Amino acid sequence: MRRVYSGELAAAHGWFHVDSHRRPLGPGPAKACAGDVDGPCGAAVPGRLLLGAGLRTGRVGLTVEVHGAAPPLDDDWEDVVEASFRPVSPSTAVLPCGHGVLCEVDLPPADHRVRCCGRGTDRTEETEFTAAGVAGPVGHYLLQFWPAPPAADRVVRQTSRGAEVRHRHERSLPPPPPGQGTARDRAETLSWGGRLPSPRVREVGGDARGLVPLDRELLDAVDAVCPATQRSLARWAAHRAFTAAGLDDVDWITPALAALDRGEPLPAPFDDPRRAWERFFTDDRITRTPSDASDGCHGNPLRQAMAMPALRAAAEPDPLRAALGALFAAAVTHGIDYPALFAEARREFPALGRGVRPR
Protein backbone atom coordinates (compact mmCIF):
# COMPACT_ATOMS: atom_id res chain seq x y z
CA MET A 1 0.00 0.00 0.00
CA ARG A 2 1.23 3.50 -0.83
CA ARG A 3 -0.25 6.47 1.05
CA VAL A 4 -0.25 9.46 -1.27
CA TYR A 5 -1.93 12.02 0.99
CA SER A 6 -3.21 12.33 4.54
CA GLY A 7 -4.50 15.69 5.65
CA GLU A 8 -7.35 18.10 5.08
CA LEU A 9 -9.42 19.13 2.09
CA ALA A 10 -11.15 22.49 1.68
CA ALA A 11 -14.69 21.59 0.66
CA ALA A 12 -16.51 23.96 -1.70
CA HIS A 13 -20.00 23.53 -3.09
CA GLY A 14 -20.10 20.03 -1.58
CA TRP A 15 -17.75 18.42 -4.13
CA PHE A 16 -14.14 17.67 -4.95
CA HIS A 17 -12.53 16.17 -8.06
CA VAL A 18 -10.13 13.52 -9.29
CA ASP A 19 -8.90 14.39 -12.78
CA SER A 20 -6.25 12.71 -14.96
CA HIS A 21 -6.54 15.05 -17.95
CA ARG A 22 -3.55 17.23 -18.79
CA ARG A 23 -5.62 20.32 -18.02
CA PRO A 24 -7.71 19.16 -15.08
CA LEU A 25 -11.04 20.94 -14.78
CA GLY A 26 -13.44 18.47 -13.24
CA PRO A 27 -16.93 17.77 -14.67
CA GLY A 28 -20.18 19.20 -13.34
CA PRO A 29 -22.57 16.97 -11.34
CA ALA A 30 -25.10 16.41 -14.12
CA LYS A 31 -22.45 15.28 -16.62
CA ALA A 32 -20.37 13.30 -14.14
CA CYS A 33 -23.22 11.41 -12.49
CA ALA A 34 -25.83 10.78 -15.18
CA GLY A 35 -26.45 7.06 -15.47
CA ASP A 36 -24.60 6.27 -12.21
CA VAL A 37 -26.01 4.51 -9.17
CA ASP A 38 -23.45 5.65 -6.60
CA GLY A 39 -24.38 9.30 -6.03
CA PRO A 40 -21.28 10.38 -4.02
CA CYS A 41 -18.93 9.20 -6.80
CA GLY A 42 -19.68 10.41 -10.33
CA ALA A 43 -17.56 8.44 -12.82
CA ALA A 44 -19.40 8.97 -16.10
CA VAL A 45 -16.61 11.01 -17.75
CA PRO A 46 -13.50 8.96 -18.66
CA GLY A 47 -10.45 9.95 -16.64
CA ARG A 48 -12.45 12.09 -14.20
CA LEU A 49 -14.32 11.57 -10.95
CA LEU A 50 -16.67 13.90 -9.10
CA LEU A 51 -16.86 13.11 -5.38
CA GLY A 52 -19.39 14.36 -2.85
CA ALA A 53 -17.75 16.02 0.16
CA GLY A 54 -20.88 16.00 2.36
CA LEU A 55 -20.03 19.38 3.83
CA ARG A 56 -20.92 22.29 1.58
CA THR A 57 -18.22 24.63 2.90
CA GLY A 58 -15.42 23.99 5.38
CA ARG A 59 -12.68 21.43 5.97
CA VAL A 60 -12.91 17.66 5.77
CA GLY A 61 -10.25 15.03 6.37
CA LEU A 62 -8.92 13.14 3.35
CA THR A 63 -6.63 10.15 2.89
CA VAL A 64 -5.57 8.90 -0.57
CA GLU A 65 -4.04 5.44 -1.02
CA VAL A 66 -2.87 3.25 -3.92
CA HIS A 67 -3.01 -0.53 -3.50
CA GLY A 68 -1.82 -3.45 -5.59
CA ALA A 69 -5.13 -5.30 -5.10
CA ALA A 70 -8.51 -4.70 -3.53
CA PRO A 71 -7.87 -3.72 0.13
CA PRO A 72 -10.03 -5.01 2.99
CA LEU A 73 -12.92 -2.76 4.02
CA ASP A 74 -12.84 -1.22 7.49
CA ASP A 75 -16.11 -1.40 9.43
CA ASP A 76 -15.63 2.17 10.71
CA TRP A 77 -16.74 3.73 7.42
CA GLU A 78 -20.40 4.77 7.25
CA ASP A 79 -20.70 5.15 3.48
CA VAL A 80 -18.75 3.25 0.84
CA VAL A 81 -19.09 3.33 -2.96
CA GLU A 82 -16.96 1.89 -5.76
CA ALA A 83 -16.57 2.71 -9.45
CA SER A 84 -14.23 1.97 -12.33
CA PHE A 85 -11.61 4.55 -13.27
CA ARG A 86 -9.11 4.67 -16.11
CA PRO A 87 -6.54 7.52 -16.12
CA VAL A 88 -5.96 9.17 -19.48
CA SER A 89 -2.50 10.51 -18.58
CA PRO A 90 0.35 9.50 -16.25
CA SER A 91 -0.68 12.13 -13.67
CA THR A 92 -3.94 11.96 -11.73
CA ALA A 93 -4.71 15.00 -9.57
CA VAL A 94 -7.01 15.43 -6.58
CA LEU A 95 -8.55 18.88 -6.75
CA PRO A 96 -10.75 20.65 -4.20
CA CYS A 97 -13.59 22.30 -6.14
CA GLY A 98 -12.47 25.78 -7.17
CA HIS A 99 -8.91 25.34 -5.85
CA GLY A 100 -5.57 24.14 -7.15
CA VAL A 101 -4.16 20.61 -7.07
CA LEU A 102 -4.15 19.10 -3.58
CA CYS A 103 -2.01 16.08 -4.46
CA GLU A 104 -1.03 13.95 -7.46
CA VAL A 105 -1.56 10.19 -7.66
CA ASP A 106 0.88 8.28 -9.86
CA LEU A 107 -1.36 5.79 -11.68
CA PRO A 108 -0.55 4.05 -14.98
CA PRO A 109 -3.07 4.61 -17.80
CA ALA A 110 -4.82 1.29 -17.19
CA ASP A 111 -8.12 0.17 -15.69
CA HIS A 112 -8.50 0.75 -11.95
CA ARG A 113 -11.13 0.48 -9.27
CA VAL A 114 -11.70 3.42 -6.94
CA ARG A 115 -13.36 3.13 -3.54
CA CYS A 116 -14.64 6.22 -1.77
CA CYS A 117 -15.32 5.79 1.97
CA GLY A 118 -16.79 8.43 4.27
CA ARG A 119 -17.75 8.92 7.90
CA GLY A 120 -19.16 11.82 9.88
CA THR A 121 -20.54 13.24 6.65
CA ASP A 122 -24.13 14.11 7.54
CA ARG A 123 -24.80 17.80 7.03
CA THR A 124 -26.89 19.89 9.39
CA GLU A 125 -27.49 23.63 9.49
CA GLU A 126 -25.39 23.88 12.64
CA THR A 127 -22.49 22.03 11.00
CA GLU A 128 -22.64 24.20 7.89
CA PHE A 129 -22.50 27.44 9.87
CA THR A 130 -19.81 26.37 12.34
CA ALA A 131 -17.53 24.19 10.19
CA ALA A 132 -15.28 27.07 9.21
CA GLY A 133 -14.57 27.83 12.85
CA VAL A 134 -14.10 24.38 14.36
CA ALA A 135 -10.66 23.21 15.45
CA GLY A 136 -10.51 20.16 13.18
CA PRO A 137 -12.07 18.78 10.01
CA VAL A 138 -15.74 17.82 9.87
CA GLY A 139 -15.95 14.24 8.63
CA HIS A 140 -13.31 12.20 6.85
CA TYR A 141 -12.95 10.57 3.44
CA LEU A 142 -10.73 7.78 2.15
CA LEU A 143 -9.92 7.26 -1.54
CA GLN A 144 -8.39 3.92 -2.49
CA PHE A 145 -7.19 2.98 -5.99
CA TRP A 146 -6.09 -0.45 -7.24
CA PRO A 147 -5.76 -2.19 -10.64
CA ALA A 148 -8.97 -3.96 -11.67
CA PRO A 149 -10.94 -4.63 -14.86
CA PRO A 150 -13.99 -2.44 -15.55
CA ALA A 151 -17.06 -3.36 -13.50
CA ALA A 152 -20.40 -1.85 -12.61
CA ASP A 153 -20.63 0.94 -10.04
CA ARG A 154 -21.55 -0.36 -6.61
CA VAL A 155 -22.96 1.04 -3.39
CA VAL A 156 -21.13 -1.09 -0.82
CA ARG A 157 -22.53 0.58 2.29
CA GLN A 158 -24.99 3.42 2.90
CA THR A 159 -25.63 4.77 6.39
CA SER A 160 -25.70 8.57 6.42
CA ARG A 161 -28.67 10.69 5.39
CA GLY A 162 -26.48 12.79 3.09
CA ALA A 163 -25.37 9.76 1.07
CA GLU A 164 -28.94 8.56 0.76
CA VAL A 165 -30.00 11.96 -0.61
CA ARG A 166 -27.17 11.94 -3.15
CA HIS A 167 -27.97 8.41 -4.29
CA ARG A 168 -31.62 9.33 -4.76
CA HIS A 169 -30.76 12.50 -6.68
CA GLU A 170 -28.34 10.89 -9.12
CA ARG A 171 -30.75 8.05 -9.82
CA SER A 172 -33.43 10.64 -10.58
CA LEU A 173 -31.40 12.32 -13.34
CA PRO A 174 -33.29 12.05 -16.65
CA PRO A 175 -32.19 9.15 -18.85
CA PRO A 176 -30.36 9.95 -22.09
CA PRO A 177 -32.34 10.03 -25.35
CA PRO A 178 -33.17 6.59 -26.80
CA GLY A 179 -30.25 4.98 -28.57
CA GLN A 180 -27.61 7.20 -26.97
CA GLY A 181 -26.88 5.12 -23.86
CA THR A 182 -25.81 6.54 -20.53
CA ALA A 183 -23.56 9.55 -20.10
CA ARG A 184 -20.73 7.12 -19.50
CA ASP A 185 -21.50 5.33 -22.78
CA ARG A 186 -21.49 8.61 -24.68
CA ALA A 187 -18.26 9.74 -23.05
CA GLU A 188 -16.64 6.40 -23.87
CA THR A 189 -17.73 6.76 -27.50
CA LEU A 190 -16.31 10.28 -27.68
CA SER A 191 -13.01 9.09 -26.21
CA TRP A 192 -12.68 6.73 -29.20
CA GLY A 193 -13.21 9.51 -31.74
CA GLY A 194 -16.99 9.36 -31.95
CA ARG A 195 -17.48 5.66 -32.60
CA LEU A 196 -16.59 2.60 -30.58
CA PRO A 197 -14.01 0.20 -32.06
CA SER A 198 -14.35 -3.54 -31.68
CA PRO A 199 -14.20 -5.10 -28.19
CA ARG A 200 -10.76 -6.53 -29.06
CA VAL A 201 -9.37 -3.06 -29.76
CA ARG A 202 -10.87 -1.70 -26.54
CA GLU A 203 -9.13 -4.50 -24.65
CA VAL A 204 -5.76 -3.36 -26.03
CA GLY A 205 -6.23 -0.13 -24.09
CA GLY A 206 -3.56 2.57 -23.98
CA ASP A 207 -1.70 1.99 -27.25
CA ALA A 208 -4.95 1.75 -29.19
CA ARG A 209 -6.30 4.90 -27.55
CA GLY A 210 -3.05 6.66 -28.35
CA LEU A 211 -3.70 6.17 -32.06
CA VAL A 212 -7.19 7.76 -31.92
CA PRO A 213 -6.11 11.42 -32.19
CA LEU A 214 -3.42 10.51 -34.74
CA ASP A 215 -5.39 8.45 -37.26
CA ARG A 216 -8.71 6.95 -36.21
CA GLU A 217 -9.27 5.30 -39.60
CA LEU A 218 -5.95 3.49 -39.40
CA LEU A 219 -6.94 2.04 -36.02
CA ASP A 220 -10.00 0.39 -37.58
CA ALA A 221 -7.99 -0.71 -40.62
CA VAL A 222 -5.41 -2.53 -38.49
CA ASP A 223 -8.23 -4.25 -36.62
CA ALA A 224 -9.80 -5.39 -39.91
CA VAL A 225 -6.77 -7.03 -41.55
CA CYS A 226 -5.84 -10.67 -41.00
CA PRO A 227 -3.55 -11.77 -38.13
CA ALA A 228 -0.67 -12.47 -40.56
CA THR A 229 -0.81 -8.89 -41.83
CA GLN A 230 -1.02 -7.57 -38.28
CA ARG A 231 2.09 -9.54 -37.36
CA SER A 232 3.98 -8.27 -40.41
CA LEU A 233 2.88 -4.72 -39.64
CA ALA A 234 4.15 -5.06 -36.07
CA ARG A 235 7.60 -6.12 -37.25
CA TRP A 236 7.71 -3.41 -39.87
CA ALA A 237 6.72 -0.73 -37.35
CA ALA A 238 9.40 -1.87 -34.89
CA HIS A 239 12.07 -1.60 -37.59
CA ARG A 240 10.81 1.86 -38.58
CA ALA A 241 10.94 3.02 -34.97
CA PHE A 242 14.54 1.91 -34.49
CA THR A 243 15.58 3.32 -37.85
CA ALA A 244 14.04 6.70 -37.02
CA ALA A 245 15.84 6.65 -33.67
CA GLY A 246 19.18 5.73 -35.28
CA LEU A 247 19.39 2.48 -33.29
CA ASP A 248 18.87 -0.10 -36.02
CA ASP A 249 22.61 -0.84 -36.34
CA VAL A 250 23.51 -1.04 -32.62
CA ASP A 251 25.20 -4.43 -32.11
CA TRP A 252 23.05 -5.55 -29.15
CA ILE A 253 19.79 -4.40 -30.81
CA THR A 254 20.19 -5.90 -34.29
CA PRO A 255 20.03 -9.52 -32.98
CA ALA A 256 16.71 -8.72 -31.31
CA LEU A 257 15.28 -7.25 -34.51
CA ALA A 258 16.45 -10.34 -36.42
CA ALA A 259 14.86 -12.64 -33.85
CA LEU A 260 11.62 -10.66 -34.14
CA ASP A 261 11.62 -11.17 -37.91
CA ARG A 262 12.13 -14.92 -37.47
CA GLY A 263 9.33 -15.15 -34.91
CA GLU A 264 11.74 -16.24 -32.18
CA PRO A 265 11.85 -15.09 -28.53
CA LEU A 266 13.79 -11.87 -28.02
CA PRO A 267 17.40 -12.50 -26.91
CA ALA A 268 19.14 -10.87 -23.97
CA PRO A 269 18.92 -8.17 -22.81
CA PHE A 270 15.41 -7.82 -24.26
CA ASP A 271 14.20 -10.91 -22.41
CA ASP A 272 14.24 -8.72 -19.28
CA PRO A 273 12.88 -5.13 -19.63
CA ARG A 274 14.97 -3.90 -16.70
CA ARG A 275 18.20 -5.20 -18.22
CA ALA A 276 17.30 -3.77 -21.62
CA TRP A 277 16.84 -0.29 -20.16
CA GLU A 278 20.06 -0.59 -18.15
CA ARG A 279 21.94 -1.46 -21.34
CA PHE A 280 20.32 1.43 -23.15
CA PHE A 281 21.25 4.04 -20.55
CA THR A 282 24.80 2.78 -20.06
CA ASP A 283 25.76 2.50 -23.73
CA ASP A 284 27.85 5.60 -24.44
CA ARG A 285 27.60 5.00 -28.17
CA ILE A 286 23.92 5.97 -28.16
CA THR A 287 23.53 9.69 -28.79
CA ARG A 288 20.27 10.58 -27.13
CA THR A 289 18.54 13.35 -29.07
CA PRO A 290 15.33 15.15 -28.12
CA SER A 291 12.18 14.23 -29.98
CA ASP A 292 10.31 16.83 -31.96
CA ALA A 293 7.04 15.09 -31.03
CA SER A 294 3.94 17.20 -30.61
CA ASP A 295 2.19 18.05 -27.40
CA GLY A 296 1.13 14.45 -26.84
CA CYS A 297 4.68 13.59 -25.74
CA HIS A 298 5.11 14.96 -22.25
CA GLY A 299 8.33 16.67 -21.29
CA ASN A 300 10.00 16.31 -24.72
CA PRO A 301 11.40 12.82 -23.99
CA LEU A 302 14.32 11.22 -25.80
CA ARG A 303 13.63 9.94 -29.29
CA GLN A 304 15.71 6.83 -28.74
CA ALA A 305 13.96 5.98 -25.49
CA MET A 306 10.60 6.19 -27.22
CA ALA A 307 11.70 3.60 -29.78
CA MET A 308 12.56 0.97 -27.19
CA PRO A 309 8.95 -0.12 -26.38
CA ALA A 310 8.32 -0.88 -30.06
CA LEU A 311 10.38 -4.05 -29.93
CA ARG A 312 8.66 -5.65 -26.97
CA ALA A 313 5.26 -4.51 -28.29
CA ALA A 314 5.93 -6.17 -31.65
CA ALA A 315 6.82 -9.43 -29.86
CA GLU A 316 3.44 -9.62 -28.12
CA PRO A 317 1.74 -13.02 -28.69
CA ASP A 318 -1.51 -11.38 -29.82
CA PRO A 319 -1.02 -10.03 -33.39
CA LEU A 320 -3.50 -7.16 -32.98
CA ARG A 321 -1.95 -5.99 -29.72
CA ALA A 322 1.51 -6.31 -31.30
CA ALA A 323 0.55 -4.28 -34.36
CA LEU A 324 -1.16 -1.46 -32.47
CA GLY A 325 1.54 -1.27 -29.82
CA ALA A 326 4.45 -1.20 -32.26
CA LEU A 327 2.68 1.24 -34.56
CA PHE A 328 1.97 3.64 -31.71
CA ALA A 329 5.57 3.44 -30.47
CA ALA A 330 6.83 4.11 -34.00
CA ALA A 331 4.46 7.08 -34.35
CA VAL A 332 5.68 8.60 -31.08
CA THR A 333 9.28 8.07 -32.18
CA HIS A 334 8.61 9.90 -35.45
CA GLY A 335 7.02 12.85 -33.63
CA ILE A 336 5.43 15.40 -35.93
CA ASP A 337 6.41 13.26 -38.92
CA TYR A 338 3.98 10.51 -37.93
CA PRO A 339 1.63 11.20 -40.94
CA ALA A 340 4.47 10.21 -43.28
CA LEU A 341 4.95 7.00 -41.29
CA PHE A 342 1.25 6.13 -41.60
CA ALA A 343 1.25 6.93 -45.33
CA GLU A 344 4.22 4.60 -45.74
CA ALA A 345 2.40 1.88 -43.79
CA ARG A 346 -0.53 2.11 -46.17
CA ARG A 347 1.79 1.78 -49.15
CA GLU A 348 3.56 -1.23 -47.63
CA PHE A 349 0.27 -2.88 -46.60
CA PRO A 350 -2.40 -2.01 -49.19
CA ALA A 351 -5.05 -3.83 -47.14
CA LEU A 352 -4.93 -0.92 -44.70
CA GLY A 353 -6.38 1.41 -47.32
CA ARG A 354 -5.03 4.69 -48.58
CA GLY A 355 -7.07 7.29 -46.75
CA VAL A 356 -5.00 9.81 -44.82
CA ARG A 357 -6.50 11.63 -41.89
CA PRO A 358 -6.33 15.45 -42.34
CA ARG A 359 -3.90 17.06 -39.91
Side-chain angles (χ1 to χ4, degrees):
M1 185 272 285
R2 176 166 53 92
R3 181 159 291 174
V4 177
Y5 180 81
S6 181
E8 295 184 357
L9 166 77
H13 311 295
W15 301 98
F16 66 102
H17 304 285
V18 171
D19 198 328
S20 64
H21 290 249
R22 293 188 64 198
R23 296 178 180 175
L25 299 173
K31 186 176 182 180
C33 302
D36 286 353
V37 298
D38 52 344
C41 181
V45 179
R48 287 175 172 156
L49 300 172
L50 180 65
L51 300 146
L55 192 69
R56 192 178 357 254
T57 302
R59 291 176 298 149
V60 298
L62 176 68
T63 302
V64 182
E65 298 174 348
V66 177
H67 295 257
L73 178 60
D74 195 320
D75 291 337
D76 289 344
W77 298 104
E78 299 170 354
D79 301 294
V80 181
V81 296
E82 291 182 2
S84 290
F85 176 67
R86 183 184 181 88
V88 297
S89 81
S91 178
T92 296
V94 177
L95 305 98
C97 186
H99 299 271
V101 173
L102 180 68
C103 66
E104 291 192 1
V105 187
D106 182 17
L107 296 175
D111 291 313
H112 287 76
R113 193 72 171 167
V114 58
R115 178 187 292 161
C116 180
C117 308
R119 62 169 173 256
T121 61
D122 268 334
R123 297 183 298 175
T124 65
E125 287 190 13
E126 181 180 359
T127 301
E128 290 293 339
F129 284 112
T130 62
V134 299
V138 178
H140 195 95
Y141 290 86
L142 170 66
L143 281 182
Q144 296 172 311
F145 297 87
W146 66 91
D153 300 349
R154 188 164 74 104
V155 178
V156 181
R157 185 180 300 158
Q158 177 186 312
T159 304
S160 70
R161 295 189 305 276
E164 192 278 330
V165 170
R166 288 184 186 270
H167 289 312
R168 187 169 62 244
H169 170 70
E170 309 310 344
R171 290 164 181 164
S172 71
L173 290 174
Q180 292 190 16
T182 66
R184 181 172 299 176
D185 294 334
R186 297 195 299 276
E188 174 74 1
T189 300
L190 288 174
S191 75
W192 286 102
R195 63 183 186 280
L196 288 176
S198 71
R200 290 191 64 230
V201 170
R202 296 202 295 274
E203 288 175 4
V204 171
D207 291 339
R209 285 183 183 274
L211 288 169
V212 170
L214 303 181
D215 194 324
R216 181 63 178 78
E217 289 72 22
L218 184 59
L219 179 65
D220 289 333
V222 174
D223 183 30
V225 298
C226 68
T229 300
Q230 292 169 350
R231 180 61 67 191
S232 296
L233 175 62
R235 294 166 178 162
W236 175 87
H239 277 277
R240 295 297 295 114
F242 279 87
T243 299
L247 300 176
D248 54 324
D249 59 353
V250 176
D251 56 8
W252 56 271
I253 292 177
T254 51
L257 290 170
L260 179 71
D261 291 340
R262 295 191 298 267
E264 299 173 355
L266 298 181
F270 289 96
D271 56 341
D272 181 340
R274 181 182 58 82
R275 290 173 56 206
W277 283 113
E278 287 177 353
R279 185 69 181 272
F280 174 83
F281 285 112
T282 57
D283 190 339
D284 294 335
R285 297 169 299 173
I286 296 177
T287 304
R288 300 171 185 86
T289 57
S291 168
D292 56 359
S294 62
D295 256 2
C297 301
H298 307 291
N300 197 26
L302 302 176
R303 177 188 290 269
Q304 286 83 356
M306 291 189 293
M308 290 288 284
L311 191 51
R312 288 192 62 84
E316 281 279 341
D318 177 53
L320 177 61
R321 187 178 294 272
L324 294 177
L327 194 59
F328 177 64
V332 175
T333 305
H334 278 70
I336 60 174
D337 294 330
Y338 76 85
L341 171 75
F342 291 165
E344 184 181 351
R346 288 184 167 97
R347 291 193 298 270
E348 290 289 327
F349 302 93
L352 295 176
R354 299 189 179 278
V356 178
R357 179 182 182 274
R359 294 184 62 184

